[in-house]
Amino acid sequence: MLKFNEAEFVSQTQSLLALRPEIEKTVDRLADEGYDNVLLVGAGGTYAQMWPYEHLARRQSLLPVRAAVAAELVVSGDARLGERTVAVFTSVSGTTEDSLRAIEYCRARGAHTIGFTGHPESPVARNVDTALISEPKAWPFDVQLLLFMGRLLSRRGEFEGYERLADELAELPRVLVDVARRAEPVAADFAEAHKDTDYHFLIGGGNLWGFTYLYSMCILEEMQWLRTTRVHSAEFFHGSLELLEEDTSVIVFQGEDETRALTDRAEAFAKRVSKDVTVFDTRDYPLDGISPEFRGLLAPLVLDTVMDRVSKHLERVRDHSLDLRRYYRVMDY
């Protein structure tokens, strides 16, 4: 597989799973001490990665759980933020300035802050109340957030089967390597067919809407300097569909939750207009060892693995490094 270090991938994923005891201990302590709302705070891709877990809580819990943009939280506030708030942060580098300001803001108002990062001496790790450290560069944060939110809802009696799900997650390193292998030829074909495409239209819904936003903005726009439109499948028919033309590259992210029918509807219409519709569907991957009822929860992880293969092949065919930036962390702003 192109630029895929299997040993490193497995080790990083195992380091995320190894946080389970610490995550559960932290959640249990917070449950015993008492809290009444949760903020999931991020910036850019880490903000988008919070959405599936806000979505999970909204579907299954009466607990107020909200994903918040770090910079906006600091200037706009949140009426519920206080001593009974749990504020969760994630940062690959541990140096994200917007998140650091938000951590300070939340702590000043009495919230208990939790930080997931791969760098124990980073500013994020040093400034939160509870730092949960994986291996460096381990990505995405879905494992930690699923364990955190799953345990939290389980303690409230709102997530039946959490223990079984958490046990099955031990299979993830093997499962995701298999996903990557199966996605490799699909990714190579997509990249070859789209090496000169300068605009992509992305559709996703449910717990994949966050990933749709992330892949559009953080990968295609930030890392490949490509123009995109991203739209939630439930909102597709309220404006953005007017941008479709016969040669528009449409990328559909399809999962296995209750919103699948909405994405099916958007896909069907897109295919009536465009001759270039690509569907990346989590159903195409076996996920051996994962119970059918949990597959939908893993959709963001599965498609992150699939689309990482696509990104590496786009980098190759376009001769445009995924690490190249013009402005982000290059210029002051």
Side-chain angles (χ1 to χ4, degrees):
M1 289 184 281
L2 178 67
K3 298 184 72 172
F4 184 80
N5 185 328
E6 182 174 336
E8 181 181 68
F9 179 87
V10 168
S11 179
Q12 289 178 344
T13 306
Q14 288 173 336
S15 80
L16 305 178
L17 295 166
L19 290 174
R20 177 184 174 183
E22 292 182 68
I23 291 171
E24 293 181 347
K25 181 180 178 181
T26 299
V27 170
D28 291 346
R29 175 168 53 82
L30 292 170
D32 292 340
E33 293 174 355
Y35 64 92
D36 58 21
N37 69 98
V38 176
L39 281 176
L40 305 173
V41 188
T46 58
Y47 168 56
Q49 278 201 341
M50 299 298 192
W51 297 356
Y53 308 99
E54 178 193 58
H55 183 258
L56 174 62
R58 189 168 65 247
R59 290 166 55 209
Q60 297 189 203
S61 179
L62 297 176
L63 177 70
V65 176
R66 182 170 80 86
V69 183
E72 183 182 44
L73 177 65
V74 171
V75 298
S76 297
D78 187 300
R80 293 191 180 97
L81 177 60
E83 294 181 358
R84 293 180 62 82
T85 299
V86 177
V88 181
F89 297 82
T90 61
S91 175
V92 174
S93 67
T95 62
T96 310
E97 292 185 5
D98 284 355
S99 294
L100 287 167
R101 283 189 284 269
I103 289 168
E104 180 181 359
Y105 179 84
C106 290
R107 290 193 68 186
R109 282 149 186 80
H112 183 91
T113 55
I114 298 171
F116 293 103
T117 184
H119 298 279
E121 299 304 319
S122 67
V124 166
R126 292 199 307 267
N127 282 281
V128 293
D129 297 300
T130 302
L132 298 167
I133 311 298
S134 63
E135 285 188 6
K137 298 183 180 180
W139 173 273
F141 290 99
D142 292 278
V143 172
Q144 303 100 303
L145 293 169
L146 181 55
L147 287 169
F148 175 84
M149 191 57 65
R151 180 70 167 195
L152 187 151
L153 297 184
S154 177
R155 278 292 303 253
R156 293 171 51 86
E158 295 171 332
F159 192 142
E160 183 178 353
Y162 164 74
E163 294 290 340
R164 186 159 54 89
L165 167 64
D167 289 344
E168 290 182 9
L169 291 181
E171 300 295 327
L172 272 181
R174 174 186 56 79
V175 166
L176 294 180
V177 168
D178 181 63
V179 168
R181 286 201 184 100
R182 292 172 182 270
E184 186 74 5
V186 176
D189 289 347
F190 177 88
E192 291 291 347
H194 295 88
K195 60 185 177 182
D196 298 320
T197 302
D198 61 2
Y199 170 70
H200 297 275
F201 188 111
L202 292 84
I203 302 171
N207 69 350
L208 285 176
W209 169 233
F211 181 77
T212 307
Y213 177 94
L214 184 157
Y215 198 78
S216 171
M217 183 175 74
C218 299
I219 310 299
L220 295 180
E221 292 181 351
E222 178 185 327
M223 298 184 181
Q224 288 293 290
W225 304 352
L226 294 169
R227 291 170 174 81
T228 73
T229 293
R230 48 192 172 264
V231 63
H232 194 292
S233 55
E235 287 287 275
F236 173 76
F237 294 99
H238 299 279
S240 294
L241 79 167
E242 295 295 339
L243 294 175
L244 293 185
E245 297 180 357
E246 185 178 72
D247 61 349
T248 303
S249 169
V250 180
I251 300 172
V252 179
F253 293 138
Q254 181 59 283
E256 299 174 57
D257 66 9
E258 70 283 355
T259 66
R260 185 178 178 92
L262 298 175
T263 305
D264 281 341
R265 182 178 65 155
E267 175 194 335
F269 184 90
K271 287 180 174 178
R272 290 168 57 187
V273 178
S274 173
K275 294 181 179 179
D276 186 9
V277 178
T278 305
V279 181
F280 294 99
D281 190 339
T282 62
R283 279 188 180 175
D284 293 336
Y285 300 91
L287 310 188
D288 292 335
I290 304 298
S291 297
E293 61 265 36
F294 299 139
R295 286 180 56 95
L297 293 173
L298 300 186
L301 264 170
V302 172
L303 280 195
D304 184 272
T305 304
V306 171
M307 297 310 293
D308 179 71
R309 299 288 81 224
V310 172
S311 301
K312 294 299 195 300
H313 282 280
L314 282 174
E315 178 183 49
R316 171 182 59 83
V317 300
R318 301 188 69 247
D319 192 26
H320 185 116
S321 170
L322 293 164
D323 297 321
L324 183 62
R325 304 289 186 276
R326 288 183 292 189
Y327 312 121
Y328 180 63
R329 298 201 178 201
V330 174
M331 297 178 63
D332 293 331
Y333 45 83

